[in-house]
Amino acid sequence: QYVLLGSGFDTFPYRQPDWAKRMTIFEVDRPEVIEEKQKRLSQSGIDVPDNVNFIGADLAEENWIKQLLSHPDFSPKAKTMCSLLGLVYYLTREAFSALVQSLSILPEGSGVVFDYPNQLSGKLPALAHGASAPMMAFYSERDLTALLSAQGFRICEHLSPLEAAEQFFRLHQLANPDSTLTAPPHVSYCLSVRK
């Protein structure tokens, strides 16, 4: 199972590769965001694949996980990959910890992947301001290790901005020396797995 938390206008479900078609995908976001996305998909003539499900739920509310668990296509015993990409910036530490705690009901081997602001940067708050949402918290790798461990998760992979740039952008930069495309300098990436 693949759960996109705060799915927004993520396009993965509509360009999914063949291997993803064997998964059940859940897009979870506030009801008004889900409604707007469905409207735009319809207006654009984009069909919703059979393996995609929508769940209108506010992740800031405690009972959002009940809506996921009660969906007839969701299996609480199946290993689940959860994406929080682009979400952690807008959660307080308490809300992020509560979200991870909600996910601790998932079976062993389930994963959570997310990016997060690792220090104050002039560009990141400007980005948040452009999204009409304030940036709520910044983390160190030590902070995240403690937060995740307290909820039964361990970090399997952690990429600093330099490591992300090397892994994902180095070949592009070599082929395009004038390109400014690179990893954001104050954003780190984390993959954690339920112990």
Side-chain angles (χ1 to χ4, degrees):
Q1 300 176 128
Y2 181 38
V3 179
L4 290 152
L5 295 169
S7 59
F9 296 109
D10 192 307
T11 62
F12 176 80
Y14 312 98
R15 54 181 173 79
Q16 57 182 288
D18 287 340
W19 58 262
K21 294 176 182 167
R22 296 189 303 270
M23 294 189 304
T24 306
I25 299 172
F26 299 87
E27 292 200 49
V28 183
D29 211 321
R30 294 188 319 271
E32 64 271 18
V33 174
I34 294 291
E35 185 179 326
E36 178 65 20
K37 184 170 191 175
Q38 290 175 316
K39 181 175 127 187
R40 291 187 187 194
L41 288 167
S42 177
Q43 289 172 341
S44 300
I46 298 172
D47 293 328
V48 176
D50 291 339
N51 65 334
V52 175
N53 301 277
F54 296 100
I55 298 175
D58 188 338
L59 297 171
E61 294 180 4
E62 283 184 35
N63 68 349
W64 76 266
I65 192 74
K66 291 179 184 173
Q67 291 173 269
L68 177 63
L69 293 172
S70 65
H71 193 284
D73 291 336
F74 185 81
S75 171
K77 295 182 179 180
K79 284 185 184 177
T80 304
M81 186 65 192
C82 298
S83 168
L84 282 69
L85 293 169
L87 178 64
V88 174
Y89 305 85
Y90 309 109
L91 300 175
T92 62
R93 285 177 181 260
E94 295 76 18
F96 180 41
S97 181
L99 182 60
V100 174
Q101 183 178 22
S102 295
L103 297 174
S104 68
I105 58 97
L106 296 173
E108 185 176 324
S110 294
V112 177
V113 64
F114 59 93
D115 54 338
Y116 68 93
N118 58 31
Q119 60 182 294
L120 190 58
S121 156
K123 289 185 179 179
L124 288 179
L127 254 164
H129 179 71
S132 300
M135 195 155 295
M136 302 302 287
F138 298 85
Y139 300 89
S140 68
E141 187 175 354
R142 178 182 284 186
D143 292 336
L144 286 175
T145 300
L147 185 151
L148 292 164
S149 181
Q151 305 303 338
F153 288 86
R154 65 180 172 81
I155 293 177
C156 289
E157 186 173 8
H158 184 274
L159 295 177
S160 70
L162 287 175
E163 291 166 330
E166 174 67 18
Q167 185 169 337
F168 298 109
F169 295 98
R170 186 176 66 83
L171 292 178
H172 171 80
Q173 298 294 54
L174 289 172
N176 304 280
D178 294 332
S179 173
T180 58
L181 186 63
T182 188
H186 298 288
V187 175
S188 294
Y189 303 85
C190 183
L191 169 63
S192 62
V193 174
R194 182 92 171 89
K195 298 184 246 183

